[in-house]
Amino acid sequence: MRKKLVAGNWKMNGSLAENAALLAAIKPALAGIEAAVCVPFPYLAQAQAALAGSSIAWGAQNLSDQAKGAYTGEVSASMLRDFACTYVIVGHSERRSLYGESDELVAKKYMAAQAAGLVPILCVGESLAEREAGVTEQVVARQLDAVIAAAGVASLANAVVAYEPVWAIGTGKTASPEQAQAVHAFIRGKVAALDPAVAAGLVIQYGGSVKASNAAELMTQPDIDGGLIGGASLVADEFIAICRAAAN
Ligand code: PGA
């Protein structure tokens, strides 16, 4: 059986005081449940100190494709490893759309993460216009193909894929369990055509307005292996309930 993994994406939220309260609430409640939080860079040390030795891993939301040097404002994979990060989100739709990250750049970041021993959480997903135009599968395939072409299908054995329809992120509009399952099955089938064993083990998270109230129906779909949670990951009771729904 594939594991289920719920990861919080805090985005650009939090403060030392708010994080301390949130981490103190989720840590004991999720004892024994594998989960993760992806926090802003300045709070990695805080997450590490609070969560070391627990079943909750931590990570970042972005990284540089470069290893080191004159890249003002960037953060490298090895720096994330210095804070014992397990995960790093790559290719989130907000990075693709607000910061112009191309499929090729996302693939380079994915490879930089893996080269340093981090597990990339590769985000893919279509916009509302793309869904309405009926090109959801083409868009998701293009985003995946860029990574597979650069890093090889075997690299997915050390990665997580997050399907996040852009129209569902932060909008309160969740994909229905059937809509999400259909795309997850498409993703797994596409990988299976290249490497059935990698496909069978691949954790594919759903993200986009997951809440405690809709988590169970999403997490019981056969190809949904957890979630990438934005807004609800900032509310301890919501995040705990989502993680528990996935673990059940
Ligand atoms: P949301 O965000 O849960 O607030 O919709 C998900 C994400 O962007 O990862």
Side-chain angles (χ1 to χ4, degrees):
M1 256 255 305
R2 275 188 303 277
K3 71 172 179 187
K4 299 239 196 255
L5 177 70
V6 173
N9 171 11
W10 289 8
K11 309 195 180 186
M12 197 173 74
N13 293 293
S15 66
L16 285 173
E18 287 169 4
N19 307 344
L22 180 54
L23 293 167
I26 65 174
K27 184 176 158 180
L30 295 177
I33 296 181
E34 197 178 335
V37 289
C38 294
V39 308
F41 295 133
Y43 301 131
L44 285 171
Q46 183 185 24
Q48 180 181 17
L51 299 174
S54 78
S55 60
I56 308 175
W58 56 93
Q61 301 164 16
N62 182 29
L63 81 168
S64 176
D65 62 316
Q66 300 293 325
K68 66 184 291 188
Y71 301 100
T72 301
E74 293 291 287
V75 172
S76 72
S78 66
M79 294 172 187
L80 301 182
R81 286 297 297 164
D82 269 347
F83 292 90
C85 289
T86 301
Y87 298 102
V88 60
I89 298 171
V90 297
H92 190 279
S93 65
E94 287 153 17
R95 302 243 27 116
R96 293 179 190 263
S97 68
L98 301 174
Y99 300 98
E101 293 193 7
S102 65
D103 293 336
E104 290 67 34
L105 180 61
V106 171
K108 284 187 186 163
K109 291 185 174 202
Y110 171 101
M111 288 196 290
Q114 286 194 335
L118 296 161
V119 177
I121 299 177
L122 170 67
C123 298
V124 298
E126 81 289 1
S127 67
L128 183 58
E130 289 164 338
R131 174 158 285 262
E132 286 175 346
V135 294
T136 295
E137 291 188 353
Q138 285 96 310
V139 170
V140 169
R142 191 201 73 223
Q143 292 169 334
L144 273 177
D145 281 339
V147 167
I148 293 172
V153 69
S155 74
L156 288 169
N158 298 308
V160 170
V161 172
Y163 168 58
E164 296 206 312
V166 178
W167 49 272
I169 294 176
T171 58
K173 272 198 197 170
T174 322
S176 70
E178 295 73 25
Q179 282 174 321
Q181 166 57 27
V183 180
H184 282 235
F186 170 75
I187 292 170
R188 198 178 310 284
K190 188 174 162 48
V191 176
L194 299 169
D195 190 325
V198 167
L202 180 63
V203 170
I204 308 177
Q205 299 175 323
Y206 170 78
S209 297
V210 179
K211 305 182 273 286
S213 59
N214 60 23
E217 59 177 15
L218 287 161
M219 299 305 154
T220 48
Q221 296 297 312
D223 289 295
I224 299 185
D225 310 312
L228 185 57
I229 318 301
S233 73
L234 301 171
V235 182
D237 289 347
E238 284 281 316
F239 189 64
I240 292 163
I242 295 165
C243 292
R244 288 184 177 155
N248 277 335

